[in-house]
Amino acid sequence: MIENAHIVRINVDGQERMTRLKTMLHVPGNRLGLITSIDGSQLVTLLLDTNTGRSTVWETPLSSDVYPSLTMMIPQCHWFERSTWDMFGLKPNGHPRLKHNLLHEPYDASLFPLKTDHEVESHDTDRFYKCLEVRGQGVYEIPVGPIHAGIIEPGHFRFSCLGEVILNLEIRLGYVHRGVEKRIVEVPLSRMRFVAESAAGDMIAANALAHAVAVESCLQIEESPRARAFRTISLELERIAMHVSDLGGLAGDIGFAAVSTSMAILRGDVLGCAELLTGTRFQKGFIAPGGISREPSDKNLSQLRTNLKKIQLKLKPIVDFLFSNQVARDRMTNVGILTPKLAADFGVVGVAGRASGIAYDARKSFVHGCFPRQNMVLPVQQAGDVLSRAKVRAEELRSSLEIIYEILETLPGGDTAGAHHDLRSLNRFKFKTNDCGIGIVESFRGELIHLFFTDGDGKIIRYAIKDPSVNNWTALAIAVRNNLLSDFPLCNKSFGLSYSGHDL
Amino acid sequence: MIRLLNYLITRKIATSKALFAPLGDGVRGLPMLTGESISEAEAVELAEGCPAGAIRVLEKEDGRQVLEMDRGACTTCGFCLDVYPTAAIKSDPNTMIATRKRDQLISSVALNDTSLDTASGVAGDTACKTASGVKTDTAGGVHEFFEAADNLPQDAIESDLARENLISKIFGRSIAIRVVSTGCSSCDLEIGAAGNPIFDMERFGMHVVASPRFADVLLVTGPVPKAMHEPLRLCYEAMSEPRLVVAVGSCAISGGVLKDSYAQANGVGAVLPVDVFIPGCPPHPWSIIDGIAMAMGRKRQGRLK
């Protein structure tokens, strides 16, 4: 057993894993973080305790490339098991819908990018993909994508419809699989943060922060209080920008142009704030292991304060217009319902989870930036429809602005550069051998996990990134069932998921 | 309803009056060479730290060492500007940075030397400076864009110009844009922002359309991983001629930090011929509008016609 500040690593054999996981997940506050492997000769199961902020890694040695699937018992395993098959060639026996998640037909059938310990024993590695077929009189299919009509990332949606009603939606992802998890272990530590940032272009601050926290947790170093404050502002600014963008998008899909364009203008203002703090609109390269990469000037900080006040004043009436308009409310109410039961079964996170009764926010549980804040009040809704998700977003906009004000008011003095903060010489840090590091961050989409393992030389051999979208794509597919086809854009926008974060 | 109308009427116009405004103070743009020389030790450290391989130390045929900067690979990470600042590299506030040729994004400076490397660097570096209209007093000076192309064979210049004239005639007033995303989505967000009321590219005749069938120009973002090669090619083939391709962002130009991965994500150039390159990670909305204007043939000598 290896232990550091935030994470415990234990060996659990295959039989025990099967029996214990289900019981563990029934304990309130416990969550399944992710399932993956390190080099293909074991399974790694990450369990999170959201009450104490501690994480446990179960390592299960495997004697062959086939292992029993847990999906029938624990539905949320299904996506992890599919991805682990693609990346490591580990086949979950008994998986009800085993399909390739990440690697499509153009990839060589024998390619398992992250498997390093041995050749994969020959089993079915055909990359052929077949969508679920819904049969019955009058049922027809609509294929959409991978290239979508708007300006959005690629993915394939296969709708099976009866009349105007969606009977089933199958989502095929993997079109933007770029090999992030492999590249990140190929580069030296000083460059890793930039590869981490490339995981999802709208979650740059969140990914950089998760990376920094993971590295710091393994090295057992701490950033200075001032750097911590700036990191939190950076994360919250990203949340504000994207929630504004998503609420505007919702209004756009309803056809409420006054609100959607007002939100678009406002988003420009928020990105301007991000530019003041970090130097770029998307906050690139700002958060780094050990602290931050540049100190914002006092002039910029006071400008930031003024601009945020203006944004808050502008935001309120626009949000009110959206929620007080009866047509807009009617379009969002009882549409795209995700029941709390299904949300819990599939481990849904973030806004979608909180809109379906799951009171979980990583800012309340895990160390990152100025978090955890145990006393945070979460805007939990029970209805699980588009309106609930919109309400959660609006509420979080308000609370994020307040968090930033509070931090700016009580901004700790001192240096952002602590003793460990020379970004020029990050590579001099040596990780402990056979150790692991973890960073869990509440991005604007929800729980983002960075988990890495070091080998016998202290080199990072496996770096896993779990984007919140991994949990939530299935939730979208469930939520649109029995809804009108024309409501799909609205449902999709209300979840606001990432393709690139999932595909990596 | 009345409250909403009142709100909208009392709003000021959000659309930016200043066109292609340079980036503000303290805002980090793409890096550019200042013309100052740099020591070998510093150059090696910069090359070590650059995550996208945009800064390299190369040996020329004559044995001289140069620091080469490829703005088409730069991911604006800030390493060479914030973490390891030197006199040789500064942030480029200019937003008009698109180029027609890939090599115009590459410039170099000799190590331990006081002048810009004239053998290969001037064409690229000058094109960047010309586009900005920024006068510089460093050695090497400012050349006009077409002057810098003097080294090209004459017929190549003529056919380029003929094509440009043709394109300008057809698309000079308005152009239909199809966006294909194959990357991390930040470039897509900035293309979206270019269409918002602040930048409002529609006023320049640039319309985003929902099908390649009625598109004139294909805007591609992201490194184009393997699974997107075929969809992208099909999209291009569905467009009527003449058709143009614009690579938006470092990944689309060079693959960015994921270059040469097993997903073969090395940019659009691996699949389609590219007409205009817009560097940046992501490029500023003004840079995107500038690049589209260039594709329309509306830009000559760095100015919008």
Side-chain angles (χ1 to χ4, degrees):
Chain A
M1 186 167 122
I2 293 164
E3 199 168 339
N4 70 28
H6 310 301
I7 194 161
V8 183
R9 186 171 169 182
I10 51 176
N11 272 323
V12 175
D13 72 35
Q15 194 55 43
E16 198 190 348
R17 176 176 179 267
M18 284 181 72
T19 48
R20 254 177 82 187
L21 191 57
K22 189 156 189 181
T23 354
M24 291 291 282
L25 290 179
H26 277 301
V27 179
N30 277 2
R31 273 189 54 76
L32 176 64
L34 57 84
I35 297 172
T36 185
S37 178
I38 298 174
D39 58 9
S41 60
Q42 68 291 88
L43 277 177
V44 164
T45 313
L46 176 69
L47 272 173
L48 309 178
D49 183 341
T50 60
N51 293 326
T52 60
R54 287 180 74 81
S55 322
T56 314
V57 167
W58 290 3
E59 224 177 298
T60 311
L62 293 178
S63 51
S64 86
D65 289 336
V66 182
Y67 67 97
S69 161
L70 295 183
T71 297
M72 293 305 276
M73 265 193 329
I74 307 164
Q76 56 178 311
C77 296
H78 78 132
W79 215 256
F80 294 123
E81 290 182 344
R82 280 165 65 163
S83 296
T84 309
W85 180 44
D86 266 354
M87 301 314 277
F88 296 95
L90 298 176
K91 193 166 189 179
N93 209 5
H95 192 294
R97 283 180 205 165
L98 187 61
K99 295 177 187 186
H100 291 284
N101 244 5
L102 302 170
L103 302 182
H104 288 204
E105 290 89 343
Y107 291 91
D108 193 81
S110 62
L111 175 75
F112 297 101
L114 300 180
K115 187 168 189 75
T116 50
D117 68 325
H118 64 276
E119 290 291 304
V120 175
E121 298 149 26
S122 65
H123 55 62
D124 170 31
T125 51
D126 191 352
R127 300 237 180 261
F128 178 71
Y129 188 100
K130 191 173 184 302
C131 286
L132 183 80
E133 205 178 313
V134 180
R135 291 208 191 91
Q137 202 179 9
V139 177
Y140 65 98
E141 285 188 350
I142 304 178
V144 178
I147 302 175
H148 296 300
I151 308 172
I152 191 162
E153 300 162 83
H156 183 81
F157 298 136
R158 184 72 60 97
F159 297 95
S160 298
C161 303
L162 188 59
E164 270 291 291
V165 177
I166 302 170
L167 295 180
N168 187 56
L169 163 63
E170 177 153 349
I171 300 170
R172 187 186 188 193
L173 300 169
Y175 290 94
V176 269
H177 177 68
R178 295 147 291 153
V180 173
E181 286 182 325
K182 176 138 178 141
R183 175 52 49 90
I184 200 166
V185 296
E186 293 169 346
V187 299
L189 180 62
S190 63
R191 294 195 208 162
M192 267 184 202
R193 61 190 176 111
F194 305 120
V195 183
E197 283 179 359
S198 79
D202 41 15
M203 283 169 43
I204 289 173
N207 273 301
L209 184 54
H211 169 71
V213 173
V215 170
E216 288 157 8
S217 81
C218 191
L219 292 171
Q220 304 194 353
I221 57 175
E222 239 181 41
E223 79 276 39
S224 78
R226 191 170 168 85
R228 190 176 307 147
F230 286 134
R231 285 176 171 197
T232 313
I233 299 174
S234 161
L235 182 69
E236 296 308 308
L237 274 179
E238 189 171 83
R239 189 182 325 277
I240 294 170
M242 290 314 294
H243 278 356
V244 163
S245 166
D246 282 344
L247 281 179
L250 268 184
D253 284 339
I254 295 169
F256 201 167
V259 170
S260 72
T261 48
S262 300
M263 286 289 194
I265 297 168
L266 204 57
R267 177 165 177 275
D269 295 342
V270 182
L271 293 181
C273 289
E275 209 172 55
L276 284 172
L277 181 76
T278 69
T280 58
R281 284 156 62 90
F282 285 75
Q283 317 198 26
K284 294 212 70 152
F286 180 63
I287 298 173
I292 52 173
S293 69
R294 61 191 260 161
E295 165 101 31
S297 68
D298 288 341
K299 191 179 133 221
N300 279 7
L301 285 177
S302 70
Q303 188 67 46
L304 179 68
R305 222 170 269 142
T306 325
N307 289 5
L308 280 172
K309 280 273 180 244
K310 282 188 197 156
I311 287 169
Q312 192 174 31
L313 286 178
K314 285 187 201 165
L315 184 66
K316 190 164 182 321
I318 306 172
V319 170
D320 286 349
F321 289 136
L322 179 64
F323 288 102
S324 63
N325 185 295
Q326 195 54 50
V327 178
R329 285 185 74 91
D330 284 351
R331 285 284 274 115
M332 294 192 283
T333 309
N334 288 333
V335 170
I337 293 175
L338 176 71
T339 59
K341 166 83 175 70
L342 284 172
D345 281 353
F346 283 94
V348 174
V349 294
V351 171
R354 290 187 283 280
S356 293
I358 297 178
Y360 167 50
D361 186 320
R363 289 180 291 176
K364 224 176 145 150
S365 310
F366 298 102
V367 178
H368 60 292
C370 290
F371 305 114
R373 295 189 171 200
Q374 275 89 7
N375 55 356
M376 250 180 90
V377 181
L378 300 183
V380 178
Q381 302 273 327
Q382 299 296 331
D385 56 0
V386 172
L387 183 68
S388 309
R389 289 187 282 276
K391 277 183 182 165
V392 171
R393 280 210 167 78
E395 197 53 39
E396 288 184 13
L397 273 176
R398 203 185 48 72
S399 72
S400 289
L401 279 166
E402 269 167 20
I403 290 172
I404 297 181
Y405 290 143
E406 190 191 315
I407 291 171
L408 283 175
E409 286 308 313
T410 58
L411 195 61
D415 212 339
T416 49
H420 309 290
H421 184 57
D422 184 3
L423 291 178
R424 292 184 191 192
S425 55
L426 267 183
N427 294 336
R428 79 191 146 87
F429 283 118
K430 288 280 168 285
F431 292 109
K432 273 188 265 172
T433 55
N434 298 314
D435 201 0
C436 48
I438 190 165
I440 304 172
V441 166
E442 184 73 18
S443 71
F444 78 93
R445 284 200 174 92
E447 169 207 80
L448 168 71
I449 302 175
H450 283 216
L451 172 68
F452 68 77
F453 298 89
T454 63
D455 64 5
D457 300 325
K459 185 187 175 307
I460 294 181
I461 45 160
R462 168 79 175 118
Y463 195 113
I465 299 174
K466 198 279 306 174
D467 190 275
S469 309
V470 172
N471 307 81
N472 287 11
W473 273 114
T474 314
L476 169 64
I478 295 167
V480 299
R481 277 184 200 158
N482 297 320
N483 278 264
L484 295 179
L485 190 60
S486 49
D487 281 336
F488 174 72
L490 199 57
C491 297
N492 189 17
K493 198 72 199 166
S494 73
F495 279 90
L497 302 176
S498 169
Y499 301 72
S500 53
H502 167 275
D503 294 351
L504 294 175
Chain B
M1 192 68 199
I2 302 228
R3 277 197 307 130
L4 177 60
L5 284 174
N6 183 45
Y7 173 84
L8 291 174
I9 290 165
T10 52
R11 289 297 99 184
K12 289 197 195 103
I13 291 173
T15 310
S16 165
K17 273 194 194 128
L19 301 183
F20 306 101
L23 302 174
D25 268 354
V27 177
R28 187 196 321 134
L30 276 180
M32 68 189 283
L33 293 177
T34 56
E36 293 281 329
S37 87
I38 183 166
S39 75
E40 190 183 337
E42 281 182 319
V44 168
E45 288 238 22
L46 282 173
E48 271 293 300
C50 178
I55 296 175
R56 296 190 297 166
V57 177
L58 298 176
E59 193 159 317
K60 290 272 163 199
E61 284 149 8
D62 57 9
R64 287 181 315 132
Q65 283 197 308
V66 295
L67 178 139
E68 186 190 89
M69 177 188 285
D70 180 359
R71 282 155 58 106
C74 173
T75 55
T76 4
C77 74
F79 180 80
C80 61
L81 295 171
D82 293 341
V83 178
Y84 203 98
T86 54
I89 298 174
K90 67 170 185 180
S91 169
D92 182 0
N94 181 26
T95 52
M96 301 166 81
I97 49 178
T99 66
R100 284 201 176 80
K101 298 263 182 289
R102 175 72 180 87
D103 57 11
Q104 286 165 357
L105 292 168
I106 301 171
S107 54
S108 58
V109 64
L111 299 187
N112 300 317
D113 197 349
T114 48
S115 63
L116 268 175
D117 177 54
T118 45
S120 72
V122 171
D125 200 39
T126 309
C128 307
K129 281 175 187 159
T130 311
S132 69
V134 175
K135 295 283 178 210
T136 164
D137 51 9
T138 54
V142 172
H143 299 248
E144 287 301 308
F145 171 75
F146 288 105
E147 267 177 53
D150 274 350
N151 301 339
L152 291 170
Q154 196 56 36
D155 53 340
I157 296 173
E158 274 170 16
S159 71
D160 271 5
L161 282 175
R163 178 174 160 80
E164 225 176 88
N165 282 331
L166 179 73
I167 294 293
S168 163
K169 252 186 195 163
I170 300 171
F171 298 138
R173 286 168 183 274
S174 108
I175 199 164
I177 303 162
R178 180 79 180 105
V179 182
V180 175
S181 160
T182 71
C184 77
S185 91
S186 54
C187 292
D188 311 319
L189 288 169
E190 287 298 53
I191 294 173
N196 76 14
I198 302 170
F199 302 98
D200 192 15
M201 64 178 170
E202 292 249 353
R203 63 187 156 146
F204 306 113
M206 303 163 184
H207 315 281
V208 176
V209 295
S211 160
R213 282 280 186 238
F214 36 87
D216 309 314
V217 57
L218 196 60
L219 245 62
V220 187
T221 68
V224 197
K226 262 187 181 179
M228 280 307 287
H229 284 195
E230 184 66 5
L232 181 64
R233 202 181 50 74
L234 290 173
C235 184
Y236 180 71
E237 279 173 8
M239 294 166 71
S240 55
E241 302 233 33
R243 55 196 169 191
L244 301 164
V245 177
V246 176
V248 182
S250 302
C251 292
I253 295 174
S254 69
V257 291
L258 300 158
K259 193 178 180 185
D260 294 330
S261 85
Y262 62 84
Q264 279 183 22
N266 283 354
V268 195
V271 188
L272 300 177
V274 180
D275 297 276
V276 172
F277 300 86
I278 308 177
C281 187
H284 193 275
W286 277 135
S287 304
I288 292 169
I289 295 173
D290 170 61
I292 298 169
M294 185 175 268
M296 292 164 82
R298 270 169 69 175
K299 267 192 70 176
R300 292 295 161 78
Q301 314 266 329
R303 290 184 188 285
L304 200 64
K305 261 203 323 188

